[in-house]
Amino acid sequence: MTTHQFSEIQNNTQIVKAKDLYIELPSQPVKYYRHGWQSWSLAAWTDLSPLPVQKPAIFHPLQVDAEHVLDPKPNGSWLGAVELADGSVLLLGALGVDSHVSLKGNQLSGRCDAEAVEWFIAHGQEQVIFREYVRELGVRFGQIQKGVAPRVWCSWYSFYTMIDEAVLHKTFEALGDLPFDVLQVDDGWQMDIGDWEANAKFPSGMKSLADRIKSTGRRAGLWLAPLIATKSSKLFHEHPDWFLRDDTGKFVSAGFNWGQPLVALDTTHPDATRWLVALMEQVRAWGFDYLKLDFLYGGALKGRRFKDMPREAAYRECLRTLREAMGADAFFLTCGTPILPALGLCDAMRVGPDVADEWDNYRNAELFYNPSIPGTKNAIRTTLHRLWLKPLLHVDPDVAYFESAHNSLTKEQKRLLQDLAQICEFKATSDLPQWMTKNETDELRAFLTSAPKAEQTGRYTFRLDDREVDFTPAMSLPKQKTGTFALLAGFLSWIGDRHLVLRINKMLDDGKFRKRREGL
Ligand code: 9PG
């Protein structure tokens, strides 16, 4: 254990190897920078009071680091920072995986779950020290050759799982000469989560779909979630021994989605590894070379592995295998991914939760305190707090919206999202030409073809060419409720944990998106 006094760190930078490390601050800091575990987990400057535990709890494995979610102290994965009374910032960040930072009173501490790692400690101006930190991360984790990010049309935020061959063909046709580099097929093509073959909605098969995309002169993109499975999948039935269990022998929960509980692959099982390699080769053989691999946190959950190794180290090894199997020429986007372990191994990373056609909603924000659930405000907040990763890889803020036919965002809210995409230099949308007015299509085209100069002028403010952009409206977090509200919230989140309720919700959503598809 090593303890450092603030005076040793003031206005300088150090790198120290330790398993446990403590920094004594001169006084209580003003703010704490929380850095959530995976793409969708909250990253934000907050005050020091405990954040309410986000709900529903059944989503914890898929939205946060379930190992730390109940800790009332300000804490975060791999790094943490404090803002002091004079506005200066002290950053403590691990340069290795399987490590965590928290604040107790005046003591900032770093802790490793496995072997000792190097810790980066710096005090000074926020943007300067984060830049130094990310440089040190790049040295240790590697840095991809970052070209211009492809401009992506993605099927998710228009159709959700309600895609089929006919509707995608129609859409590819309608996209005409809009300057997209990739047409990416999202969730909805597969037999089941775990069974990565075309379902009955894609009778011509996946190779034919990729060929169709490539015939428009673009790269073919595909979504998969290879490190998790639903219990209904053939994969889980045929190979229950490939899935992660806890010390009591029970399957580790990877959360709940698609109306079902999820299980996580033990990526250290040699047969599971071989299956993953074959899957990547299959997808490439179909003709897809832009791969959005999602729900990747499944490879880093706590559990008893075939090979006894720390969970994030196991995940990083798995990513290396996936990367090798898909080939260096594929564009690899990670999503739902623990952040640090994926650095250097992917081209792009989703750095916030999903956007949605609404800013936020009362139930999710105020009653569930859930900043990881899909919603545009949530997406902007966390993405903005992860922009410091940009020197190492493409940071994906998720899609921007232009259409207003199926969207309740105001013009200003849509604009914030578009501006964020310009700052990230990663541009994608799911909007359908069929839904857009002439004006909206022109806006989309201008967005795709422009590259405004971005300059950060404050924590939440930027200059884009000559225009000031202020993301402050997306930064606030709801306050904890008391009295009747707290009771209502408790009751609703209990309901929100019921499988039946989640299934009914899904049926209602599916109905809505099916109607959208039929309206085309
Ligand atoms: C496909 C989608 C899209 C999307 C991904 C991911 O917290 N949640 O319940 C939650 C559900 C889905 C989700 C993210 C969070 O979306 O980010 O772009 O590919 O999967 O199912």
Side-chain angles (χ1 to χ4, degrees):
M1 184 191 89
T2 52
T3 303
H4 296 259
Q5 297 303 319
F6 177 71
S7 55
E8 302 164 37
I9 291 150
Q10 194 164 17
N11 291 318
N12 73 40
T13 302
Q14 296 179 18
I15 292 176
V16 178
K17 191 159 180 175
K19 189 162 159 63
D20 297 315
L21 182 147
Y22 298 90
I23 299 170
E24 296 290 344
L25 303 171
S27 59
Q28 271 260 307
V30 181
K31 281 196 162 158
Y32 186 83
Y33 174 81
R34 301 173 178 258
H35 186 264
W37 190 49
Q38 54 116 320
S39 305
W40 307 324
S41 323
L42 176 70
W45 283 100
T46 66
D47 59 30
L48 303 186
S49 47
L51 276 189
V53 176
Q54 66 178 63
K55 300 184 183 75
I58 196 171
F59 287 155
H60 284 166
L62 89 103
Q63 295 184 331
V64 293
D65 186 350
E67 303 312 313
H68 294 278
V69 65
L70 300 179
D71 185 353
K73 295 194 296 298
N75 73 91
S77 301
W78 313 290
L79 64 140
V82 289
E83 182 186 314
L84 306 177
D86 63 358
S88 65
V89 170
L90 188 148
L91 167 65
L92 172 62
L95 296 169
V97 297
D98 290 294
S99 37
H100 203 83
V101 171
S102 64
L103 177 74
K104 189 175 175 187
N106 293 3
Q107 197 179 59
L108 188 63
S109 68
R111 180 176 287 264
C112 302
D113 287 341
E115 290 159 38
V117 298
E118 286 178 299
W119 292 93
F120 173 89
I121 313 169
H123 171 248
Q125 201 248 322
E126 179 176 349
Q127 283 178 45
V128 174
I129 59 180
F130 272 82
R131 219 176 292 135
E132 282 177 33
Y133 177 49
V134 84
R135 192 163 46 83
E136 297 297 336
L137 284 173
V139 170
R140 286 154 184 88
F141 286 79
Q143 206 166 328
I144 55 132
Q145 281 302 317
K146 214 177 133 183
V148 176
R151 296 159 296 182
V152 182
W153 184 85
C154 152
S155 64
W156 182 246
Y157 301 88
S158 300
F159 297 121
Y160 293 88
T161 55
M162 294 299 139
I163 46 172
D164 63 33
E165 201 168 283
V167 86
L168 286 185
H169 284 187
K170 219 188 273 178
T171 304
F172 298 157
E173 188 80 45
L175 288 169
D177 70 346
L178 280 168
F180 289 105
D181 305 301
V182 174
L183 304 184
Q184 184 241 312
V185 179
D186 214 282
D187 187 1
W189 61 272
Q190 71 284 354
M191 295 287 284
D192 205 339
I193 304 300
D195 305 337
W196 303 103
E197 290 154 52
N199 60 31
K201 297 187 291 168
F202 292 85
S204 313
M206 298 313 285
K207 177 164 187 314
S208 152
L209 189 60
D211 283 342
R212 175 69 196 237
I213 295 174
K214 288 190 281 178
S215 76
T216 73
R218 302 179 174 106
R219 293 172 77 169
L222 191 65
W223 172 95
L224 303 105
L227 306 188
I228 55 159
T230 44
K231 285 193 168 166
S232 60
S233 66
K234 227 168 72 194
L235 187 77
F236 177 67
H237 279 280
E238 289 176 2
H239 305 287
D241 54 318
W242 292 3
F243 289 87
L244 197 64
R245 294 169 193 259
D246 63 18
D247 285 336
T248 70
K250 279 209 325 242
F251 288 109
V252 170
S253 168
F256 193 98
N257 203 19
W258 300 281
Q260 287 196 61
L262 306 175
V263 286
L265 206 63
D266 174 1
T267 64
T268 67
H269 193 296
D271 293 334
T273 309
R274 272 190 282 276
W275 174 82
L276 282 171
V277 169
L279 176 62
M280 291 302 109
E281 290 169 353
Q282 172 69 263
V283 167
R284 286 302 309 268
W286 285 336
F288 295 93
D289 69 353
Y290 175 101
L291 303 188
K292 174 180 176 184
L293 301 192
D294 200 358
F295 290 79
L296 290 174
Y297 66 86
L301 294 172
K302 187 175 169 192
R304 258 251 267 272
R305 289 183 160 70
F306 185 92
K307 253 193 348 214
D308 183 24
M309 61 194 292
R311 59 193 180 114
E312 290 176 7
Y315 173 61
R316 185 161 172 82
E317 194 169 293
C318 170
L319 278 188
R320 206 183 284 283
T321 305
L322 289 169
R323 170 43 116 185
E324 252 174 55
M326 73 176 74
D329 59 329
F331 189 95
F332 180 15
L333 166 64
T334 50
C335 188
T337 178
I339 308 294
L340 245 67
L343 295 179
L345 298 174
C346 55
D347 299 286
M349 178 185 286
R350 252 289 276 293
V351 290
D354 290 20
V355 298
D357 54 18
E358 58 183 4
W359 183 245
D360 62 356
N361 75 55
Y362 187 77
R363 185 199 59 187
N364 293 342
E366 303 283 338
L367 298 176
F368 290 173
Y369 311 107
N370 191 323
S372 319
I373 218 156
T376 293
K377 185 183 182 189
N378 289 342
I380 294 178
R381 186 197 296 111
T382 287
T383 300
L384 202 81
H385 283 94
R386 291 232 180 85
L387 284 178
W388 57 271
L389 285 162
K390 195 176 162 218
L392 292 189
L393 77 183
H394 293 290
V395 285
D396 170 10
D398 207 3
V399 302
Y401 292 102
F402 298 83
E403 55 90 11
S404 36
H406 295 281
N407 199 302
S408 70
L409 297 173
T410 65
K411 231 181 151 30
E412 292 71 36
Q413 291 166 343
K414 278 189 227 156
R415 189 63 184 256
L416 278 186
L417 206 47
Q418 296 160 14
D419 288 341
L420 185 58
Q422 294 286 19
I423 290 166
C424 291
E425 298 178 276
F426 192 98
K427 295 186 260 189
T429 190
S430 291
D431 284 5
L432 295 179
Q434 299 94 309
W435 290 349
M436 281 187 276
T437 63
K438 162 91 178 54
N439 211 0
E440 288 164 353
T441 312
D442 289 345
E443 277 170 23
L444 168 60
R445 193 182 290 276
F447 168 78
L448 292 172
T449 49
S450 62
K453 207 172 132 287
E455 189 197 334
Q456 186 157 14
T457 53
R459 188 174 275 166
Y460 303 137
T461 53
F462 290 77
R463 194 172 302 117
L464 262 188
D465 280 343
D466 293 326
R467 197 160 49 84
E468 307 288 330
V469 184
D470 185 353
F471 292 98
T472 309
M475 296 304 125
S476 63
L477 284 161
K479 290 270 169 291
Q480 180 137 28
K481 301 284 182 300
T482 50
T484 330
F485 275 110
L487 282 175
L488 177 64
F491 176 63
L492 281 180
S493 51
W494 179 82
I495 290 184
D497 273 337
R498 304 300 106 196
H499 290 192
L500 180 67
V501 174
L502 291 163
R503 276 190 202 114
I504 293 172
N505 268 343
K506 177 174 159 43
M507 268 167 49
L508 294 175
D509 277 350
D510 285 356
K512 186 168 105 190
F513 300 129
R514 205 172 290 124
K515 257 210 204 101
R516 277 190 187 183
R517 182 183 64 190
E518 278 149 19
L520 273 181

